Every structure is written in C-alpha cells, then in structure tokens.
Amino acid sequence: MHVPDGFINAPVSAAAGVVAAGAVAVSLRGARRELDERTAPLAGLVAAFIFAVQMLNFPVAAGTSGHLLGGALAAILVGPYTGVLCVSVVLLMQGVLFADGGLTALGVNITDMAITTTVVAYLVFRGLVKVLPRGRRSITVASFAAALLSVPAAAVVFTLIYAIGGTADVSLGKVATAMVGVHVLIGIGEAVITALTVGAVVAVRPDLVYGARGLTAPLKLKVGGELVDAPAAPAAAPVAARSHRKIWITGLLASLVLAGFVSFYASANPDGLEKVAHDHGIDKKAEKHASSDSPLADYGVKDVTDARLSGGLAGVIGVGVTVVAGSGIFWAVRRRRTSGAASTEVRPQETV
C-alpha cells in the first residue's frame, strides 16, 4: 500500500505530512513510557523484521499480491507508540533507499500504514483481550483479529485521502469497493503472519510481548470443593537480569534469511494498491521517484546482474540499515526516559 509520488496533490500531501509529524512527535513521548528494559532492546529488531517480511509478497487473487503492513505486529509486541515509530522507520528506509513509496507521499504513507494500522489494531486487540478468557491463546486470537481489521481500515483511510486530494478523476465508489475488497484478502495474510509471530514469541518469552502483560490467568486450586487462588509464587529474577540475546539473535537471523533468501520467491504480481491504481486509472499522474537512481532502488543492488544475488544483497542491507537506525532511535528515546527519571529523583539537601 505504498503510495507513490503524484497520486495525492501537494496540499493534501503536505497536510498528511503535518499529521504524520505530529503523530511521530506524540509517539516519541509515548514511547518513553513503553521502552523499558524488556521492549527497548527489541524495538529495532521489530522494525527490521517488518522490513524483511514486507519483501515477501504473497498472492491473494488473480494477478494481485499483498504483503505485511506490520502495524498490528509492532503494536502488540512493543506497544502502540513504539509501533508507530517502528513502521515509520521502515517506511523512511524504504522511501529513501529503495524508492518504495514516494518521498512527497511519506506523510500519507505514515498516516495510512503506520498510524492507522497501529491505532486500529491496538484498539481491537485491547478490546478483545478484555472479553476473552485470560491466557496465551486469547492473545493469539486477538492478534489475528486485530491484524485482519487493520488492513482494510488502512484501505478506507487511503480512499478518504484520495477523495480529498486525488490527482485523477475516477469513481470513488469503485475505488473504495476495490480497495477494501482486495485488502480484506491481504488482511487475512497479515493476520496469519501476525498471529504466528506473536504466538511464537509468547510461547518462548511472554514477558517480552507488550500486549501480553498482566494477561496470564491466576493459578487456581481446588480446596473443599471450591476453586481458590493459589498462593503467590516467589518473586522471579528481575526482568533486566534475563538475557534478550538469544531471541534477538534468532530474530535477526530470521529477518536476514527472509529478506536475503526467501524474498526471491515472493510473488511478482502487483500489490493491492498498484492493481487498483492500474485498473481504475489512479496512476495516471504518478511521478518518477526522487530516489529512482538509488543504488538499491526496486530492492536490487545496482550493477549486480544476478537477480537472486542482487535482491538478496539488497534485502540484507535493508535489514541491517533498519535495525541500526531503529535501534539508534529507540536507544536515544530510552536514554531520555532514564535521564528524565533520574532528574526527578529527590536529592537530599546539603548542609553548610
């Protein structure tokens, strides 16, 4: 659903940029509360994983493909504010380095793919975990539903943006029907990927899943024919003392394999937006990307003639750049939280 340059006119693109900048600013402040000793080391990895999986287009209908948007996955794993930042980092890397998503449309893409998907998914997720039985299975089910609904929600938001600032005269009713219809199918793929990933992390380290905190059902004992809460277990070792290294390395290796090898087998069909744009004339005024001459444009390394090697190298470079950029941003945000907390501590007055 990466919107290229020329689909949306300049005033609406600028307005979307202001909305996106405001949301990113709010998210930076909110992420300071979310990025604790559990989520901070993994936030950059989540961004890199989303980048890698977005390279894996899967077929959804005749001549159409889809890929992960990642808002639901990021929100559930590291929190909604940090999730917005994760997807925004991915979109920035894709637009600048890989000519994927217009630079003038970056605000539109962040508003649609980062903000909309994350907010909708997290609201759905939190609503479901409140009514479902407490437990790991409910987290997976809620993740599936949240991801499923977040994708057509993004399609609706794009249609609204296009209704206000679209550059081609097309039937908005047909565009809305086509966009929502194909993205419901893409949403199923998004839901499967999100549920499998969240379920895998919850099974190994539930303490690292932001959306799973406090959702474990208390242990019950049967006493005198009645169920009562079991005595509290001894306090576990501090979370900070538990190593994140194993899951971090596993996640990074998985991202590198997906982007560097599995991506070669991804569907070559146009994604949902590309297909709808071509069929309904939305792309009549599409503009050449400002980074079309980038050495990594179109997810290939310039002057590398072997397609498999070119795409694999581009994927590996993308994962590396994204994890470094994301980790740097989240480390800085985490450091500000730490320094801010330290500055609020009450210091004893000195005596003269």
Side-chain angles (χ1 to χ4, degrees), residues 5 22 53 57 69 99 106 122 156 223 238 240 262 284 303 323 330 338:
D5 296 316
V53 181
N57 280 48
L69 298 184
L106 182 59
Y122 197 71
V156 170
V223 179
V262 181
K284 290 179 180 178
D303 297 329
V323 75
F330 298 128
T338 305

Side-chain angles (χ1 to χ4, degrees), residues 68-152:
L68 182 82
L69 298 184
L73 179 62
I76 296 166
L77 288 180
V78 293
Y81 293 107
T82 308
V84 169
L85 297 179
C86 283
V87 182
S88 297
V89 168
V90 173
L91 294 173
L92 180 61
M93 296 298 103
Q94 291 171 331
V96 172
L97 298 179
F98 297 91
D100 189 9
L103 296 184
T104 62
L106 182 59
V108 174
N109 284 320
I110 290 176
T111 300
D112 195 25
M113 296 177 64
I115 301 169
T116 300
T117 59
T118 302
V119 171
V120 170
Y122 197 71
L123 290 176
V124 172
F125 176 82
R126 295 307 305 178
L128 287 175
V129 295
K130 289 181 178 179
V131 298
L132 292 173
R134 294 160 63 94
R136 296 178 183 179
R137 183 176 298 179
S138 296
I139 295 170
T140 304
V141 171
S143 299
F144 184 95
L148 175 63
L149 294 176
S150 69
V151 178

Side-chain angles (χ1 to χ4, degrees), residues 6-330:
F7 275 29
I8 308 298
N9 63 32
V12 174
S13 295
V18 172
V19 172
V24 168
V26 172
S27 296
L28 285 169
R29 293 181 62 87
R32 291 170 63 181
R33 299 190 297 270
E34 294 173 347
L35 290 169
D36 56 18
E37 63 276 359
R38 289 174 284 183
T39 54
L42 298 179
L45 177 62
V46 170
F49 183 77
I50 291 173
F51 174 90
V53 181
Q54 282 198 4
M55 294 183 66
L56 308 181
N57 280 48
F58 49 84
V60 294
T64 310
S65 68
H67 63 71
L68 182 82
L69 298 184
L73 179 62
I76 296 166
L77 288 180
V78 293
Y81 293 107
T82 308
V84 169
L85 297 179
C86 283
V87 182
S88 297
V89 168
V90 173
L91 294 173
L92 180 61
M93 296 298 103
Q94 291 171 331
V96 172
L97 298 179
F98 297 91
D100 189 9
L103 296 184
T104 62
L106 182 59
V108 174
N109 284 320
I110 290 176
T111 300
D112 195 25
M113 296 177 64
I115 301 169
T116 300
T117 59
T118 302
V119 171
V120 170
Y122 197 71
L123 290 176
V124 172
F125 176 82
R126 295 307 305 178
L128 287 175
V129 295
K130 289 181 178 179
V131 298
L132 292 173
R134 294 160 63 94
R136 296 178 183 179
R137 183 176 298 179
S138 296
I139 295 170
T140 304
V141 171
S143 299
F144 184 95
L148 175 63
L149 294 176
S150 69
V151 178
V156 170
V157 169
F158 168 78
T159 304
L160 293 175
I161 294 175
Y162 195 84
I164 300 172
T167 56
D169 185 14
V170 298
S171 171
L172 292 175
K174 292 182 178 179
V175 171
T177 301
M179 282 292 292
V180 173
V182 71
H183 284 93
V184 166
L185 299 177
I186 294 173
I188 296 173
E190 176 108 8
V192 171
I193 295 170
T194 300
L196 288 175
T197 305
V198 172
V201 179
V202 166
V204 178
R205 289 290 301 273
D207 60 294
L208 297 183
V209 179
Y210 182 90
R213 297 179 183 179
L215 295 179
T216 304
L219 180 64
K220 298 286 187 178
L221 295 177
K222 193 170 185 179
V223 179
E226 296 183 358
L227 290 176
V228 298
D229 291 338
V239 176
R242 303 180 66 181
S243 174
H244 303 113
R245 182 177 301 176
K246 184 176 180 179
I247 195 167
W248 199 93
I249 292 175
T250 302
L252 181 59
L253 289 176
S255 300
L256 292 171
V257 170
L258 291 173
F261 177 73
V262 181
S263 62
F264 180 78
Y265 301 97
S267 173
N269 291 330
D271 66 23
L273 177 58
E274 291 173 332
K275 179 67 173 174
V276 172
H278 177 74
D279 290 347
H280 296 275
I282 294 176
D283 58 356
K284 290 179 180 178
K285 296 186 178 181
E287 300 173 0
K288 182 179 179 181
H289 199 287
S291 298
S292 59
D293 295 328
S294 165
L296 299 172
D298 297 323
Y299 297 95
V301 177
K302 189 175 182 180
D303 297 329
V304 177
T305 57
D306 184 273
R308 183 183 300 231
L309 179 60
S310 178
L313 286 175
V316 169
I317 292 171
V319 168
V321 172
T322 303
V323 75
V324 170
S327 297
I329 292 171
F330 298 128

